[in-house]
Amino acid sequence: MRILWMTHSHAPRVGLRSQYRHAPTRHGCVMANIRIIDSISDPGSTSRPNEDAAGGNASCAFVIDGATGLGGKNIVGLHGSDAAWLAQFAQSAFEQMVRPGRPMAEIVQEFNGRVANVVHEAAHSLPIEPWNLPVAGFQMVRVEDDALVTHGLGDCRLFLLDDNGMAFETSAMRQAAAAEREGARMALAHTGGFSAYQALAEEPAVRDELRRRRAAYNTSSSGIWTLGIEPEAGKHLASEPLHPALPACGLLCSDGFAALVDQYQRYNAGEFVAAARETGLSTLLDELRRIERVEDPDGMKYPRFKMSDDATAVLFEIVE
């Protein structure tokens, strides 16, 4: 997540195996199935763990973006990252818990309760700074009864292109990219760029401001709700019905991959899905990294807090 501060991994590019996701339900009067075509997950840096994840089951597909830590002590840990642990924990839990008849709000509430138990047990009753709690965002497409629905928390993205050529896009935090860009512009002006800090959150003044913002997550004062230790987040899901003409094709992305649209403006929503379908996710990933590491390595053309963020995407079809 950008505003939620998500990151990256030691792992190489990873892809889910292409497979059919059969859903015993109807879209209108027609049986609808989610078919995962391809997926990819690439760390933003080889020096940091990948804090993204992706998955699916018989009725859904999703991406998860863990928020990069802000310099505090690791609580639970996975390769030194609470965010990586949370992303993988959420992947496993969603694949098990997202079942026909279970409301998504209830699933998030139960999952966050589980996270709270693990985190507090791992902390051994020691106080935890609010900004140091693990948090993550997600975006999901799900078949529910006779409908297709997308659910999300945070700044992951959905792009959808239907059989009539109509494009749809959404995020639980619609203004996240613009807010991130402005914050990064100010931070870059303060630090002088990536020459001193590969991630601007390492600079003390920038880190303090990010900690202040992170501490307000999962409270009514911020309005930003996430996967994490707060069950109340289940009541704040951003959920929207989907009504594409089938067959439809879509992309679920962490904000690091969606930057090709939201930050670098190389595609609009429809073009992005079409390019993924026609040239493949690996080609888009290569284009993304070329922009970040060759065209704009100092972040001056495209202000951002890291030279490269973790980038994860799932390409899927919704078929009859």
Side-chain angles (χ1 to χ4, degrees), residues 160-174:
L160 193 64
L161 184 64
D162 77 3
D163 194 45
N164 293 331
M166 298 296 293
F168 170 83
E169 59 181 285
T170 194
S171 171
M173 293 173 63
R174 293 178 181 271

Side-chain angles (χ1 to χ4, degrees), residues 158-162 166-169 242 244 248-250 273 316 318:
L158 167 65
F159 302 92
L160 193 64
L161 184 64
D162 77 3
M166 298 296 293
F168 170 83
E169 59 181 285
L242 303 173
C249 188
V273 177
F316 64 94
I318 304 170

Side-chain angles (χ1 to χ4, degrees), residues 14 40 48 69 77 88 116 133 146 151 181 189 198 203 208 222 225 242 256 280 316 318:
V14 176
I40 199 165
R48 298 189 302 269
Q88 294 193 20
L133 290 165
D146 61 349
H151 301 285
R181 191 161 47 244
Q198 282 285 302
E203 197 279 331
D208 287 346
S222 73
W225 298 86
L242 303 173
F316 64 94
I318 304 170

